[in-house]
Amino acid sequence: MLWDELPWVLGLFVAVLITAALVNRLRPEHRRRVRRLVITYALYAAAVAVSVGFDTIDRPSWSDSTFVAAQLLQAFLLVMLAAILVFTIALPSVGVELPMIASDLIVGLGVVAATLVILSRHGMNPTNALVSGAVVSAVLAISLQSTLGNILGGVALQLDGSIQQGDWIQFDNGRQGRVRAVRWRHTVVETRDCSTIIVPNATLLGQSITILGKRDGLPIAQRMTVLFSVDFRFPPSRITRLVTEALQMGPIDNVAVEPRPHAICLDLAKDSREPLITYAARYNILDLSADEPTNSRIRSRIYAALRRAGIPLSMPSLLAHADQPDDVVARRVQRDVEARFRVLDRIPLFKSFNDDELRTLAAAMNDVFYSEGETITRQGAVANWLYVLASGRAEIHTNIDPDGPGGEPDRPVFVAQLDAPNFFGEMGLMTGAPRSADVIAKTDVECYRLDKDAFEKVLLARPTIANELSERLATRRMELIAARDGLDATVAAARRDRERERIRRAITAFFGL
C-alpha cells in the first residue's frame, strides 16, 4: 500500500508544475499561493520518503504514523490545487472575482473535511476530534477577543463588498487613501503621501467611512473644487463665464468630459478691508491618485483665462489700487513694444514692413496667454485678428468635412506644428474669412494678438503691401492644404497662383483698398 503512493507523488508533481505555470502566466500577482503549494508538496514528498525509509528498516509503527501524515498533506495539497485552479484561474477568466477571505474560508473548510475523512479511514473517531476542536476554539475565542473581532470584521468587509480593493476612502479625520488589500486581521490603505496605514478591521467597521468616487455601488468621477478670488471691481457673471469657457476649451488630462467643468461664484466679500469675491472651479476627476497635478492644470486654465481678460487674481487692496509714476508706466510700455517688435521682425509674413510700421503694429498688439491643452482658435469661428506666437508650441488640426456624414464631424486631422516665433489666424485678419482649422496649445504659449483696426492703419498708408502679403499668404495656405489633403508639389504650385489672386482680391475688398 505504501508503494502505491509513489505514482501520486509523481502525478502531484506534474500537477503542481502545470498549476504554477498557469498562475505565472495568467495571474502573476498570486504567486504567493504557488509558494505555499510548493512548500506543501515538498512536505508531502518528504513524508512519503520518510515513511518508505522507516518501512525499509522495518519500523512499521513509525512508517504507519508517517504515512498518515503524508496522506493528510496529500489531501491538503489536493484541496489547495483545486482552490487555485477554481478561484485563481477559472472564475476570474469568466469575470467572477471571489473575495480572498471567502476563498480562504472555503479552502479551510475543505482542509477540515479532508482531515476528518483521513482520520476516520485510519480508525480514529472524528466526533472526538470535533469536540476537542470546539473546546480549543472556545478557549481561543475568549483569550483572543480583539483578534477575533478583527478577523470577523475582515470576513464581513469582504463578504458584503462594502469596501473593495482599489476604492478611495476617507476617514473621520479627513485623511484619504486607496484600499490595497482587505486581510484577515487588518486592511491596508495607501495614502496620497506614499505612506501605508494598517487599519484593524474592527476599527474600520467602528467608524464612518466615505467611499470617494462611488455612488450606488458604481464608480463615478469624483467632484473636485479649486478656489480662487478676484476683487469686487469685476462682475461675477463675467468671471464665471470667462473661467467656464476656459475650462471647457479643449480637454484637460484626467478631467471627465461629463459633467463639464464650470465655475461658480461661491461667496461675496465679508471683510471690507479686503473686498474679494471667492469663486470655485468645479470638475470631476477620473483618477484620484493624481489630484494635485490635475488641480494644477485647472489653476493654469484659470490663470490663463483671467490674464487674457486683463483681470488680476486677488492681491492686497492697497497694492491693487496703488498709483504708479507715469515714467515707470511709460518705460514698461516701451519695453513691451520693443519685445513685440523683435518678435515681429523675425516673422516672414512681415518681411516687407519697415521698422516704423512694425512698431505701429507692436504698439497696437495685446498680450494673451494660453495654458497647455487650450484651443486658441476653433474651426469655423469668425474673428478678425492675427496671432503672433511669441513663445511655446501649438498644433494645427482641421476637419476635412466639418459637417461630416450624417451631420457628424470628422475626427480632427493633424496639419502642422507651430514653434515660436510664428503666426496664425492671418486669413481672418486680412480677409475676414472664418477660421479654417483648430489651433491648440501644446505647451503654455505667449501670443500677441493684432486686430483689424490697427492693421488697417498700416495697410491704408501703403496699399502695395497687399500684393506682397497675398504672395506669402498663398504660399503658406497651400502648404497647409497640401499637408491636409496630401497634394503633390506640382498640383500645389499650380493652385498657388490662383490662391494668391483670390487672397489679393479678398484683402482689397475687406479693407476697401
Side-chain angles (χ1 to χ4, degrees):
M1 182 176 180
L2 182 61
W3 293 97
D4 293 340
E5 195 74 13
L6 295 181
W8 277 97
V9 175
L10 296 177
L12 288 175
F13 176 75
V14 174
V16 169
L17 284 181
I18 295 174
T19 303
L22 289 173
V23 171
N24 285 331
R25 181 176 179 82
L26 302 176
R27 303 298 298 278
E29 67 274 15
H30 290 279
R31 289 174 181 166
R32 181 182 56 191
R33 297 189 177 187
V34 174
R35 288 196 293 270
R36 291 202 296 260
L37 190 69
V38 171
I39 292 172
T40 304
Y41 175 80
L43 293 174
Y44 162 66
V48 172
V50 170
S51 181
V52 171
F54 284 143
D55 186 63
T56 303
I57 62 175
D58 198 21
R59 292 289 189 272
S61 60
W62 291 5
S63 177
D64 290 344
S65 299
T66 311
F67 182 65
V68 172
Q71 286 198 316
L72 286 173
L73 289 170
Q74 181 194 79
F76 299 164
L77 190 60
L78 289 172
V79 171
M80 293 170 67
L81 278 169
I84 290 176
L85 292 173
V86 173
F87 300 132
T88 305
I89 297 174
L91 290 181
S93 66
V94 296
V96 178
E97 193 79 38
L98 203 64
M100 182 187 67
I101 291 179
S103 61
D104 287 348
L105 281 174
I106 294 174
V107 171
L109 292 174
V111 167
V112 171
T115 301
L116 295 178
V117 170
I118 296 298
L119 293 179
S120 64
R121 286 175 55 187
H122 287 273
M124 300 181 185
N125 189 354
T127 304
N128 294 335
L130 288 174
V131 172
S132 301
V135 173
V136 173
S137 299
V139 173
L140 290 175
I142 294 173
S143 60
L144 301 174
Q145 292 184 38
S146 177
T147 301
L148 186 61
N150 289 327
I151 292 174
L152 292 177
V155 173
L157 286 173
Q158 290 238 10
L159 291 181
D160 66 17
S162 55
I163 297 178
Q164 300 176 2
Q165 182 174 334
D167 284 347
W168 277 91
I169 62 175
Q170 179 172 301
F171 298 103
D172 286 340
N173 60 8
R175 199 167 189 185
Q176 297 178 352
R178 176 183 286 176
V179 176
R180 283 303 182 190
V182 180
R183 310 221 169 155
W184 282 96
R185 190 185 65 82
H186 62 264
T187 296
V188 181
V189 180
E190 291 184 359
T191 63
R192 297 184 186 278
D193 56 1
C194 300
S195 301
T196 300
I197 303 177
I198 304 299
V199 186
N201 289 327
T203 302
L204 195 64
L205 290 174
Q207 61 178 304
S208 299
I209 300 295
T210 302
I211 302 178
L212 305 176
K214 182 178 285 189
R215 181 182 298 166
D216 296 330
L218 299 176
I220 61 172
Q222 175 75 14
R223 191 174 81 166
M224 305 289 286
T225 299
V226 173
L227 301 178
F228 63 99
S229 299
V230 177
D231 71 62
F232 71 99
R233 292 176 297 166
F234 304 97
S237 58
R238 184 185 179 198
I239 300 299
T240 54
R241 176 179 55 80
L242 287 172
V243 174
T244 298
E245 289 175 354
L247 295 177
Q248 298 177 4
M249 189 182 294
I252 304 175
D253 188 29
N254 199 35
V255 174
V257 177
E258 292 293 341
R260 305 180 76 185
H262 62 278
I264 62 169
C265 178
L266 193 63
D267 199 1
L268 298 177
K270 294 181 178 179
D271 188 346
S272 59
R273 294 172 299 177
E274 294 295 340
L276 302 175
I277 300 178
T278 303
Y279 298 87
R282 287 182 172 164
Y283 70 95
N284 289 67
I285 191 171
L286 299 176
D287 181 6
L288 275 165
S289 63
D291 63 327
E292 291 182 348
T294 308
N295 284 342
S296 179
R297 286 188 283 270
I298 293 292
R299 293 187 181 100
S300 295
R301 287 285 177 98
I302 296 171
Y303 170 80
L306 296 179
R307 178 173 169 180
R308 287 195 297 273
I311 300 173
L313 286 165
S314 60
M315 62 179 68
S317 57
L318 293 178
L319 178 61
H321 295 91
D323 293 329
Q324 294 182 336
D326 292 340
D327 60 334
V328 173
V329 175
R331 285 198 300 270
R332 186 177 67 245
V333 171
Q334 185 60 32
R335 284 197 303 269
D336 293 342
V337 170
E338 287 301 316
R340 298 172 196 151
F341 169 79
R342 288 192 294 270
V343 174
L344 292 177
D345 195 40
R346 299 168 59 190
I347 301 294
L349 177 68
F350 302 105
K351 187 176 181 180
S352 58
F353 287 62
N354 59 43
D355 288 355
D356 290 338
E357 291 168 340
L358 289 180
R359 283 191 168 85
T360 299
L361 296 181
M365 283 181 160
N366 296 317
D367 296 350
V368 290
F369 175 83
Y370 291 89
S371 63
E372 179 183 352
E374 283 194 273
T375 301
I376 304 173
T377 66
R378 197 175 296 279
Q379 183 172 351
V382 177
N384 300 327
W385 53 62
L386 165 78
Y387 289 90
V388 174
L389 185 62
S391 67
R393 185 174 71 252
E395 286 185 356
I396 300 176
H397 295 259
T398 184
N399 294 321
I400 298 175
D401 181 3
D403 295 328
E408 293 294 328
D410 292 342
R411 291 187 61 184
V413 176
F414 172 80
V415 176
Q417 177 176 296
L418 301 177
D419 292 295
N422 217 313
F423 66 95
F424 55 91
E426 65 279 2
M427 297 303 293
L429 171 69
M430 300 181 189
T431 69
R435 302 300 191 193
S436 59
D438 294 342
V439 179
I440 301 170
K442 301 309 292 182
T443 65
D444 289 349
V445 300
E446 295 269 2
C447 290
Y448 305 142
R449 193 163 65 189
L450 177 66
D451 61 21
K452 177 188 175 184
D453 293 338
F455 186 76
E456 187 175 30
K457 295 178 182 178
V458 176
L459 191 59
L460 292 178
R462 190 157 64 96
T464 56
I465 295 176
N467 295 328
E468 300 168 357
L469 289 176
S470 61
E471 174 67 31
R472 294 188 176 91
L473 292 179
T475 300
R476 178 183 174 92
R477 180 161 175 78
M478 288 313 305
E479 289 174 352
L480 297 179
I481 293 175
R484 183 192 68 185
D485 300 342
L487 303 180
D488 58 36
T490 304
V491 176
R495 289 180 56 180
R496 184 169 56 247
D497 293 338
R498 295 195 302 271
E499 188 69 18
R500 180 181 64 244
E501 182 59 26
R502 185 189 68 80
I503 292 174
R504 188 191 66 79
R505 289 196 302 267
I507 294 175
T508 301
F510 189 56
F511 289 95
L513 300 179

